[in-house]
Amino acid sequence: MKRLMKISVVVLSVLLLATGCTKKEISENELVVGATPEPHAELLNLIAPDLEEAGYKLTVVEFTDYVIPNEAVLAGELDANYFQHLPYMEQFNAERKSDLVSAGGIHIEPIALYSSKYSSIDEFPDGAKIAIPNDPTNEGRALLLLQSNGLIKLDEKSGLTATPLDIVENPKNLMFSEIEAPSLPRIIQDVDGAIINGNYALPAGFNANKDGILIEGADSPYVNIVAVKAGNENLPKIQALVAALKSEKVAKYIKERYPNGDVIPVF
């Protein structure tokens, strides 16, 4: 994936990971959490005062990448991250032989198919070009969305990590472009449709229930989690972080901020 970084702290993380330089240890009263901007960093900043009252100073480090924040947690440069869903973390662990675990599930962001050219799937021409995320779990998630709406059929053995090679029926002869997830909103004009994750659709101004042509159901297994290195999930500061994110304050904020269901609490 192209590694786009929003602030200099992220650049420092990359250098530390690459060189093994000595880094400052995070104290027991500090919480350094990596997150993608919306809604993750937004929700973390919302609870910063609550964590301060509980005795923890929260620092939020923003990323627009799916790999670096996991590497930073494993390296001890972050206490936790909050950007990914559970299947993605499990796939990352399998590929990297790493030991990230979920400290708690917080919300679902329904993935959706968007188009700048068409307003319904019936308008899509034969051979329409669809852009989908190129990371294993979100690619499979996108294809499952199309399958659930009768547009393709996947090999039943493919599971959550399906790719276009697993398509066994494709009556509309859909063509697929596998694109880095952060780039999907920017290339929507170049394709007939794009299936975009919520954390990239929201900052680009897309509303799943208003603009989405096909929308994932609320029973999705793709719950966004707080991820930590195994063994740290029961640390008092991590428990405090998860409790703050599962508070009534956050639930109310999500309901008011995302009334159309672009973010759905699971607590």
Side-chain angles (χ1 to χ4, degrees), residues 135-182:
D135 60 277
T137 49
N138 285 307
E139 182 171 47
R141 184 182 184 185
L143 294 173
L144 288 169
L145 174 66
L146 296 175
Q147 177 175 255
S148 67
N149 285 275
L151 294 171
I152 61 172
K153 183 177 180 180
L154 296 165
D155 186 321
E156 60 185 22
K157 298 178 183 178
S158 59
L160 296 180
T161 56
T163 75
L165 295 176
D166 295 306
I167 297 173
V168 295
E169 293 181 19
N170 186 2
K172 289 183 73 72
N173 299 306
L174 299 176
M175 305 286 289
F176 294 95
S177 294
E178 297 162 285
I179 305 293
E180 295 168 350

Side-chain angles (χ1 to χ4, degrees), residues 98-154:
S98 55
D99 60 348
L100 295 171
V101 298
S102 170
I106 309 302
H107 73 271
I108 294 169
E109 298 167 30
I111 201 169
L113 170 67
Y114 302 92
S115 176
S116 63
K117 301 175 182 178
Y118 309 108
S119 57
S120 77
I121 196 64
D122 294 333
E123 297 175 10
F124 278 57
D126 187 77
K129 188 174 182 180
I130 308 294
I132 59 177
N134 69 351
D135 60 277
T137 49
N138 285 307
E139 182 171 47
R141 184 182 184 185
L143 294 173
L144 288 169
L145 174 66
L146 296 175
Q147 177 175 255
S148 67
N149 285 275
L151 294 171
I152 61 172
K153 183 177 180 180
L154 296 165

Side-chain angles (χ1 to χ4, degrees), residues 3 12 25 34 37 53 55 76 89 101 112 115 117-118 122 145 153 197 214 241 267:
R3 298 181 175 185
L12 178 59
E25 294 295 327
E53 287 184 8
M89 186 195 72
V101 298
S115 176
K117 301 175 182 178
Y118 309 108
D122 294 333
L145 174 66
K153 183 177 180 180
N197 294 73
L214 302 176
L241 171 65
F267 53 88

